[in-house]
Amino acid sequence: MSEKDEHSGFASLMKDINDIQTINREERASDIEHNKRSLQLDENKAQQRKAALGEAKDYLEQLRSAKPENHGPNDIIGFKQPGVQEGVYRKLRTGKYQIEAKLDLHGLTVQQSFDELRSFIERNRKKNKRCLLLSHGKGLKQDEPARLKNHVAAWLKLVPEVMAYHSAMPQHGGAGNLYILLRKSEEQKQENRERFNQPR
């Protein structure tokens, strides 16, 4: 092989190596950029989770610190969120909705009742239940009558899933019990739209 051929072959080889190195540098730069984006996405998700947890914690603290109301043991109580139709509320307070789940808080402390009630509402919301019956009692034999009743009345007003509540009819326990009406889930709303052929 002549010196010229050797030089030409070496130059060609160096050109190929330079091309490979250039590609590798570009790939490394692309990988670094991709990793940066991935890390940023992970950081964003972490911040969103942290914010959601913070909001949940704030919400629970707001619920726990809600000032109890001032009702007597035999008082009939009720509440409905803005926008709830009067016909819906009337049907609730007259016991016309089918009761789909019950919870009895008798014998529990205020803190235990708080935890049980939260779990009860969340559990039934996930099951698409609408009308619940809660037994909080009247507290007639306690030093502070209707204590639990007054806490429950305050808590439920702050729970977004609760559309309305009202003291039960006598056949369902009267003033020591509450009907609770939960919001419809998105699935239930869609079913109603399809049933009545309503647009979104």
Side-chain angles (χ1 to χ4, degrees), residues 73 105-110 113 136-151:
L105 300 178
H106 282 89
L108 301 184
T109 66
V110 170
S113 297
H136 50 66
K138 297 180 180 180
L140 289 169
K141 298 178 181 178
Q142 298 176 354
D143 295 335
E144 188 182 339
R147 183 182 182 206
L148 188 53
K149 176 179 185 173
N150 285 311
H151 276 285

Side-chain angles (χ1 to χ4, degrees), residues 16-57:
D16 291 342
I17 291 172
N18 285 334
D19 288 343
I20 291 169
Q21 287 176 336
T22 301
I23 291 169
N24 285 341
R25 281 198 299 272
E26 287 174 357
E27 286 178 352
R28 282 198 298 272
S30 176
D31 288 343
I32 290 168
E33 187 61 33
H34 174 73
N35 289 339
K36 282 182 181 177
R37 286 197 298 269
S38 295
L39 287 171
Q40 185 60 50
L41 287 172
D42 289 343
E43 177 64 22
N44 290 343
K45 288 177 182 177
Q47 289 176 355
Q48 288 171 358
R49 283 195 296 270
K50 187 176 179 182
L53 289 171
E55 288 172 5
K57 186 177 178 181

Side-chain angles (χ1 to χ4, degrees), residues 58-76:
D58 290 344
Y59 168 65
L60 287 180
E61 287 305 316
Q62 183 184 8
L63 271 180
R64 281 197 184 95
S65 61
K67 184 178 178 182
E69 298 189 359
N70 189 29
H71 304 292
N74 293 303
D75 289 349
I76 301 300

Side-chain angles (χ1 to χ4, degrees), residues 1-10:
M1 182 183 288
S2 70
E3 185 178 335
K4 183 177 179 182
D5 290 339
E6 286 180 2
H7 180 72
S8 175
F10 178 76

